[in-house]
Amino acid sequence: MEYMTTASTGAPRWLTDEEQSVWRAYLHATTLLEDHLDRQLQRDAGMPHIYYGLLVQLSQAPRRQKRMTELAKDAKITRSRLSHAVARLEKSGWVRREDCPSDKRGQNAVLTDEGHEMLRGSAPGHVSAVRQAMFDRLTPEQVRSLGEIMQVIAAGLQPEGPNSDLPWLR
C-alpha cells in the first residue's frame, strides 16, 4: 500500500500543499452541493436528497420495484438506514413494501403511482437546481474531465471480495 506510507520509512505520505488545497475545496464544494440539493428538495418536494435518489432508482427499475438489499447496495447505504427511509416514504404513500415472491425472507420496495407522480412533479425543479449549482458553472471540457475523474475515484473505491466492508450488508 504505497499510497498510504512511504515505502522506505513506513511514514505517512502527507498531502502536499496543493493536494491539501484541492482536498479542502472538494470537501467544501460537495458539502455545499449536498446542502443546496437537500434544501431545494425539502422546499419543493418535502423530502431529503437521499429519498429523492431512492425514488429515482425505483422509477428506473423494471415494474418500478427493486429488492431492498439491491436498493441499499445501489444507494450505498446501510440496510437499517434504507429501512428507515422506506418507512418514511411509505408514510407519504410514495413507496410500498411487498414480499419477494422468489425469497420469502426478502422484500421489494415498489414505487407507487403517487410516488411516481411526486417524482415527475419534482424532477424539473431538481434538475434545474443541479444544473444551476454545477453544470452551468463548468465548461464542456470541465464537465468531461470531472466525469472522468469521478469515475477513476469511484472505481478505486468500489469494494471487492467477500470480506469487503459493505454498508448495505450492515
Side-chain angles (χ1 to χ4, degrees):
M1 295 188 162
E2 188 172 63
Y3 63 91
M4 295 179 91
T5 61
T6 303
S8 60
T9 66
R13 283 185 55 212
W14 299 110
L15 299 179
T16 66
D17 289 344
E18 181 181 19
E19 289 168 337
Q20 185 69 253
S21 177
V22 169
W23 175 243
R24 288 182 180 173
Y26 167 82
L27 289 177
H28 187 70
T30 56
T31 301
L32 289 172
L33 180 60
E34 189 63 32
D35 179 66
H36 175 75
L37 297 177
D38 259 344
R39 283 185 288 117
Q40 179 270 319
L41 284 165
Q42 286 287 2
R43 180 185 65 243
D44 296 349
M47 74 177 98
H49 190 223
I50 191 161
Y51 291 12
Y52 181 86
L54 295 172
L55 295 180
V56 168
Q57 284 190 50
L58 291 173
S59 76
Q60 296 172 342
R63 297 181 314 280
R64 296 192 320 211
Q65 65 180 325
K66 198 176 256 196
R67 193 171 165 125
M68 293 282 285
T69 53
E70 285 301 308
L71 191 55
K73 176 183 172 188
D74 293 344
K76 305 291 188 260
I77 60 175
T78 65
R79 290 182 293 188
S80 172
R81 185 170 182 199
L82 175 67
S83 184
H84 176 75
V86 169
R88 297 274 311 274
L89 292 168
E90 282 179 306
K91 232 179 197 181
S92 298
W94 299 334
V95 172
R96 73 175 178 274
R97 293 181 217 216
E98 293 180 354
D99 290 334
C100 181
S102 62
D103 179 2
K104 296 301 177 192
R105 296 176 302 162
Q107 284 192 316
N108 291 327
V110 181
L111 182 66
T112 65
D113 291 341
E114 295 83 10
H116 191 255
E117 286 307 308
M118 164 52 79
L119 191 58
R120 285 174 46 125
S122 60
H126 180 63
V127 77
S128 178
V130 169
R131 178 166 297 291
Q132 178 271 327
M134 189 167 170
F135 295 105
D136 289 350
R137 300 169 189 273
L138 301 174
T139 67
E141 182 179 282
Q142 288 172 320
V143 170
R144 278 189 298 279
S145 293
L146 181 61
E148 291 170 4
I149 290 165
M150 292 295 104
Q151 287 173 1
V152 167
I153 291 171
L157 293 173
Q158 191 66 37
E160 295 177 11
N163 296 325
S164 297
D165 182 23
L166 306 172
W168 52 91
L169 296 179
R170 287 187 230 133

